[in-house]
Amino acid sequence: MSLKPKRVNFKQTWNVLQETVKCIITLSNVPRATWNDRFSDVYSLCVAYPEPLANELYDETKKFLEKHVFQLLTTVCAQGESGLLQAYHRAWCEYSQGINYLHRLYLYLNQQHIKKQKFSEAELIYGTSSTMTADYQEQMEIGELGLDIWKKRMITPLKKQLASQLLECIHADRVGKAQVASTEVIWGVIHSFVRVEEYKLVGQLNMYQTIFETPFLEASGHFYMKEAFMLRQQSDITHYMEKVTSQLIQEELRAHKFLHASSVPKVRQCCEEKMIATYVTWLHTEAETMIENERRRDLSLLYPLLRPLPAGLAPLVQKLTDHITQQGLKAIGNLQGENVHTQFVESMLDVHQKYSELIKDVFKADLTFVAALDKACSAVVNHRSAPRQPARAPELLAKYCDSLLRKSAKAASEVEVEDKLGRCITVFKYVDDKDVFQKFYARMLAKRLIHQQSQSMDAEESMIDRLKQACGYEFTNKLHRMFTDMSVSADLNAKFAASLREGERENQLGIGFLVYVLQAGAWPLALPPSPGPFHIPQQLEKSIQAFETFYHAQFSGRKLTWLHHLCQGELKFNYLKKPYLVIAQTYQMALLLLFEHCDAIQCREAAASLHLSHDQLVKHAASLVDSKILMKSTDGELEEDTVLTLNFDYSNKRTKFRITGAMHRDVPRENHETEATHRSVDEDRKLYLHAAIVRIMKCRKVLRHNQLIQEVLSQPKITFAPSIAMIKKCIETLIDKQYIERTPNNADEYSYIA
């Protein structure tokens, strides 16, 4: 075939082409040769000489399609209401497929004639083309033209009947009745409303939404409002939630089965508004009982119903927070006995685990409910029995860690200790006053290290690593330095022993002597304070002098302070029927050494010899009398005239044992240490706040009071939450010290003094 333009008889060519178009649009058989000839005819008309005949071809094709659709409309209407959907669906399936084939036949007309005349999207929106006129109608491609004609000539006249029939069919499916039309027919008719406008750049769903979606959502709303009312009257809350859940699932499946995908969320929202939002107050009221009784199944039904509603979960979250708080306070409210710390931590962990599982199972680990659990646990852990009293959690948690890490007769396995220490961090993260915990933990760690009471050094370091991960390196800096000091002290003692051997002093000492040299800034050894002057036993004087000489030779300019109240020694009893190895504190050991050259001594003489007050002597001698190593000459309390005598009939099942202080004297001492720890924490906090305020003011130069308070509050939130009153006191202190001053013109504003 020649591609050159030529003269064409339009009428004759169209008559031949029209027959093929009719066969195509009715899906009749068209041979390949005939198809190729008609394709050539379309090309010839579009490039005809002397004038192209594309517009005439377009107009005649449009008239043919309009006539054909009108005939189809007559056929469809003839079927009556009962067969309307089926007839429409048959006609649509045939026509939509035929118009697709026809669009391909007219490929050259679409590509070279119609597309070149089309305006761009910008020109259509803004009307910038000079060729556009008020009565201008843009030509459509043949496929678009066919769909547009179907929309105007078929759908528009039948839209009310089609929508009515479709709503009846879907209602029948909803209530379980037999449908007039099959699922395929209903789906096809509904989606034809979308297909006829798919070619549009915008508003492809306008017809679908106008003809079907809007009346469908309205009808669905009425249906589900009626259903919800009947259910509310006839059933309890559990049955109501089960039915609503079932209806939502079924309606969503029905929407997927029949409707366009864009309608699915709208259908669900419609059902939720009528069946849930309408009765949300009732659901919230019932939720309180469900939470109080922890009815998991009911809550698992309620959660997905309330979740889609705006602020639907807020009352539920608040009620759960209050309930967990109440249960937590109840669990830790009446703790008694020596192991209060164990009861506290394990009760708190039980509460946390119980409600973590509930949130995971019932609320699908929703972050909103996880935050509610955190808020409730934080309130419980930081609960204060009185406003001015500090929370007990930091101290109790530190004691619990100490009980796990300290050597004991009932020591757990390493795996169990690791597991419990790991769970401790759960409680630790809720503690507001982490600096208080750090103080108590450091003091207890110091005792474990000094007295070699740690069950496992690996467990100790593992716990410190966990604390560092939770609060950062600065939080555990001093704890790491304590371990470093122990390692350095071991090396130092090895060098000291080597120097003794080289200087032939070993025979002069005659005793085993081990010293820990600890940094004053890292170790909390000021609690409790040293009791004062103390006369070192003669047996230890040479050892102490030898070590001081060695140490000062190694390090010049350093000062050694001996903390005898933290020391201990081993004594061997050779005066009894069998030898015993006894571990005693320094003061107990010094008292026992007084009996090396005598069998009895008066309290007054013992106190004078050791340079101790009578009260201090009584405190340390009481444990020796209670353990029956010493005997006293009088009943009752030890007086200055009381004579202490060695008990030569003493016996013990164990040949090696430790002498501990009297139990009744430990309680007030412990209370003193607790109070002193809190005082130390307050002092540290003031120093921190002073530094924070100066740092902020140095950067800002001038700042208003409220802004300064807010910036200071944001600084230490990892370790503690300072009170406004404490910040104000620190500001006043810095004003007195002339670090900052109030500005002359505004008493509510501060400026930095450079």
Side-chain angles (χ1 to χ4, degrees):
M1 118 183 169
S2 175
L3 296 177
K4 291 183 179 181
K6 59 183 178 180
R7 293 182 183 275
V8 180
N9 186 324
F10 178 80
K11 187 173 182 180
Q12 183 181 356
T13 305
W14 169 246
N15 287 337
V16 176
L17 180 59
Q18 184 178 2
E19 290 301 319
T20 304
V21 169
K22 185 175 181 180
C23 291
I24 291 173
I25 205 70
T26 57
L27 301 182
S28 300
N29 184 38
V30 178
R32 170 59 62 181
T34 303
W35 175 276
N36 292 338
D37 291 342
R38 299 297 81 77
F39 193 90
S40 298
D41 290 342
V42 171
Y43 172 79
S44 298
L45 289 170
C46 290
V47 298
Y49 177 83
E51 290 291 335
L53 300 172
N55 289 333
E56 288 81 353
L57 175 61
Y58 181 86
D59 293 339
E60 288 298 326
T61 304
K62 181 178 180 181
K63 290 176 184 178
F64 172 83
L65 292 175
E66 287 177 341
K67 182 180 177 181
H68 178 70
V69 172
F70 179 77
Q71 291 172 352
L72 291 175
L73 174 64
T74 305
T75 304
V76 170
C77 291
Q79 299 300 316
E81 287 191 5
S82 59
L84 179 67
L85 292 180
Q86 293 87 337
Y88 174 88
H89 183 252
R90 283 196 301 271
W92 164 252
C93 290
E94 177 186 287
Y95 181 82
S96 60
Q97 191 172 352
I99 205 68
N100 187 36
Y101 293 146
L102 190 63
H103 182 78
R104 299 179 190 176
L105 181 66
Y106 280 72
L107 179 64
Y108 190 83
L109 177 69
N110 293 330
Q111 296 288 342
Q112 300 301 321
H113 178 69
I114 297 175
K115 275 195 173 180
K116 286 183 178 180
Q117 295 180 5
K118 276 191 172 183
F119 296 113
S120 67
E121 186 177 354
E123 289 172 332
L124 288 172
I125 295 173
Y126 301 110
T128 56
S129 175
S130 60
T131 60
M132 292 183 69
T133 59
D135 58 348
Y136 176 81
Q137 289 186 349
E138 183 183 345
Q139 288 183 339
M140 300 179 179
E141 294 181 31
I142 296 304
E144 298 172 358
L145 176 66
L147 294 175
D148 187 66
I149 291 172
W150 182 270
K151 177 178 70 173
K152 294 176 180 176
R153 305 297 181 184
M154 178 67 78
I155 295 179
T156 302
L158 295 177
K159 61 183 180 181
K160 290 185 178 179
Q161 296 96 311
L162 289 173
S164 177
Q165 289 291 315
L166 289 169
L167 293 178
E168 286 183 14
C169 288
I170 294 176
H171 179 75
D173 182 81
R174 192 177 273 154
V175 297
K177 292 183 180 179
Q179 299 176 26
V180 176
S182 66
T183 300
E184 182 184 359
V185 170
I186 298 171
W187 185 91
V189 174
I190 292 173
H191 281 74
S192 73
F193 303 152
V194 179
R195 284 281 312 280
V196 294
E197 292 193 328
E198 277 184 341
Y199 63 87
K200 288 186 174 182
L201 294 175
V202 291
Q204 296 96 331
L205 298 176
N206 286 348
M207 171 165 277
Y208 164 77
Q209 292 170 349
T210 304
I211 294 177
F212 175 74
E213 187 185 70
T214 302
F216 171 76
L217 292 176
E218 187 178 347
S220 298
H222 289 306
F223 174 80
Y224 282 110
M225 183 179 290
K226 184 179 177 181
E227 282 287 300
F229 180 77
M230 292 174 60
L231 277 173
R232 175 72 176 85
Q233 300 298 320
Q234 298 172 3
S235 58
D236 60 9
I237 184 66
T238 303
H239 184 254
Y240 182 86
M241 292 190 297
E242 289 173 344
K243 289 294 291 181
V244 170
T245 303
S246 175
Q247 291 279 28
L248 286 172
I249 294 171
Q250 291 175 12
E251 194 63 26
E252 191 164 347
L253 292 173
R254 189 174 296 110
H256 282 291
K257 184 169 66 172
F258 293 127
L259 311 184
H260 187 265
S262 64
S263 297
V264 175
K266 297 178 183 178
V267 172
R268 183 174 182 88
Q269 184 181 3
C270 176
C271 297
E272 289 168 349
E273 286 177 359
K274 303 303 178 184
M275 304 193 80
I276 304 172
T278 305
Y279 298 102
V280 69
T281 304
W282 174 53
L283 293 173
H284 284 158
T285 304
E286 291 292 330
E288 189 168 353
T289 307
M290 295 179 199
I291 291 173
E292 286 178 1
N293 298 321
E294 297 183 11
R295 287 154 44 188
R296 293 195 173 205
R297 185 172 179 278
D298 285 350
L299 289 171
S300 63
L301 289 169
L302 181 63
Y303 167 68
L305 298 181
L306 293 179
R307 182 177 56 183
L309 301 183
L313 292 175
L316 194 63
V317 171
Q318 185 58 49
K319 286 166 185 166
L320 183 67
T321 304
D322 295 341
H323 177 71
I324 297 174
T325 304
Q326 291 172 5
Q327 294 300 309
L329 292 174
K330 183 179 178 181
I332 66 169
N334 298 314
L335 303 180
Q336 295 178 348
E338 295 179 6
N339 62 338
V340 172
H341 52 278
T342 303
Q343 297 175 45
F344 172 81
V345 175
E346 293 185 353
S347 297
M348 197 63 237
L349 288 172
D350 289 343
V351 169
H352 183 271
Q353 183 176 357
K354 175 184 176 181
Y355 290 103
S356 292
E357 291 174 356
L358 183 143
I359 289 170
K360 182 179 179 181
D361 297 340
V362 174
F363 303 116
K364 311 306 177 189
D366 189 315
L367 293 180
T368 308
F369 289 91
V370 173
L373 173 64
D374 291 341
K375 182 179 178 181
C377 289
S378 179
V380 174
V381 169
N382 298 294
H383 175 71
R384 301 168 186 262
S385 55
R388 293 183 176 275
Q389 288 185 354
R392 296 187 64 197
E395 180 182 0
L396 294 177
L397 183 60
K399 286 183 177 179
Y400 181 73
C401 295
D402 182 63
S403 67
L404 293 175
L405 295 167
R406 181 183 292 274
K407 289 180 181 178
S408 64
K410 298 180 180 179
S413 65
E414 287 189 17
V415 176
E416 188 178 353
V417 169
E418 278 293 314
D419 178 61
K420 288 185 176 181
L421 289 175
R423 295 178 68 201
C424 279
I425 299 298
T426 302
V427 179
F428 173 74
K429 288 179 179 178
Y430 293 123
V431 173
D432 285 343
D433 298 330
K434 290 183 173 62
D435 54 342
V436 178
F437 168 85
Q438 198 265 359
K439 283 287 184 183
F440 279 107
Y441 187 88
R443 180 167 61 84
M444 295 172 187
L445 173 62
K447 290 182 178 179
R448 293 197 299 273
L449 293 177
I450 290 172
H451 299 305
Q452 300 179 352
Q453 288 295 305
S454 287
Q455 183 178 344
S456 167
M457 295 306 289
D458 290 339
E460 293 278 10
E461 292 179 0
S462 175
M463 183 61 188
I464 292 175
D465 286 340
R466 290 189 177 97
L467 294 174
K468 182 168 68 175
Q469 290 175 6
C471 294
Y473 175 75
E474 188 63 31
F475 186 79
T476 57
N477 182 25
K478 290 185 178 180
L479 304 181
H480 282 295
R481 287 163 60 189
M482 290 165 69
F483 278 93
T484 303
D485 284 353
M486 297 302 291
S487 176
V488 170
S489 294
D491 294 339
L492 198 63
N493 278 284
K495 291 180 180 179
F496 177 56
S499 71
L500 290 177
R501 286 194 295 272
E502 292 172 3
E504 298 182 356
R505 294 181 180 177
E506 189 173 13
N507 295 330
Q508 297 177 16
L509 295 183
I511 60 172
F513 191 70
L514 182 67
V515 180
Y516 294 131
V517 180
L518 313 174
Q519 301 177 65
W523 292 73
L525 302 180
L527 301 173
S530 179
F534 170 62
H535 182 70
I536 304 297
Q538 184 180 358
Q539 295 86 341
L540 295 175
E541 286 181 355
K542 291 182 180 179
S543 301
I544 291 175
Q545 290 173 0
F547 184 82
E548 286 185 344
T549 302
F550 162 78
Y551 188 81
H552 290 308
Q554 293 281 327
F555 308 99
S556 61
R558 292 189 183 181
K559 180 182 178 182
L560 288 177
T561 301
W562 295 88
L563 303 178
H564 300 296
H565 61 286
L566 296 175
C567 300
Q568 64 182 25
E570 290 185 1
L571 293 173
K572 189 173 183 180
F573 289 179
N574 294 316
Y575 61 91
L576 299 171
K577 295 179 181 178
K578 61 180 180 179
Y580 292 96
L581 192 63
V582 181
I583 302 171
Q585 295 175 355
T586 306
Y587 300 101
Q588 296 169 338
M589 179 180 65
L591 180 58
L592 288 172
L593 287 174
L594 295 177
F595 290 91
E596 193 167 20
H597 302 294
C598 63
D599 298 338
I601 190 171
Q602 202 173 39
C603 286
R604 183 184 294 106
E605 295 177 10
S609 177
L610 297 176
H611 290 189
L612 294 176
S613 66
H614 177 71
D615 291 338
Q616 290 171 346
L617 178 73
V618 169
K619 177 181 176 181
H620 300 296
S623 57
L624 297 173
V625 173
D626 292 342
S627 61
K628 299 182 180 179
I629 294 175
L630 297 180
M631 294 187 298
K632 54 184 178 179
S633 60
T634 60
D635 295 333
E637 294 291 330
L638 293 174
E639 302 294 341
E640 291 189 356
D641 296 333
T642 304
V643 177
L644 298 174
T645 310
L646 280 177
N647 180 11
F648 288 94
D649 296 326
Y650 177 80
S651 65
N652 196 321
K653 294 180 181 179
R654 297 162 59 187
T655 57
K656 183 177 181 179
F657 57 91
R658 179 186 298 273
I659 301 173
T660 57
M663 292 302 296
H664 66 277
R665 297 183 183 274
D666 286 343
V667 175
R669 177 184 173 183
E670 183 176 336
N671 291 337
H672 169 75
E673 290 181 355
T674 301
E675 292 173 5
T677 301
H678 283 291
R679 285 196 301 270
S680 175
V681 169
D682 284 341
E683 291 302 317
D684 289 348
R685 287 182 177 181
K686 288 176 183 177
L687 292 174
Y688 182 96
L689 293 176
H690 287 160
I693 294 168
V694 171
R695 187 167 56 248
I696 292 167
M697 291 304 301
K698 188 174 183 180
C699 176
R700 301 284 186 163
K701 303 303 181 185
V702 177
L703 206 59
R704 295 184 66 85
H705 176 78
N706 288 339
Q707 291 176 309
L708 178 58
I709 294 289
Q710 291 303 317
E711 291 207 27
V712 173
L713 284 172
S714 66
Q715 296 275 327
K717 55 186 177 183
I718 294 177
T719 53
F720 72 98
S723 65
I724 303 295
M726 179 179 283
I727 297 174
K728 288 181 178 179
K729 287 182 180 178
C730 291
I731 292 173
E732 293 298 329
T733 302
L734 291 174
I735 291 173
D736 293 341
K737 292 182 177 181
Q738 297 184 349
Y739 283 94
I740 60 176
E741 64 182 358
R742 289 186 173 88
T743 55
N745 300 326
N746 192 345
D748 194 38
E749 192 174 60
Y750 307 105
S751 62
Y752 176 71
I753 301 175

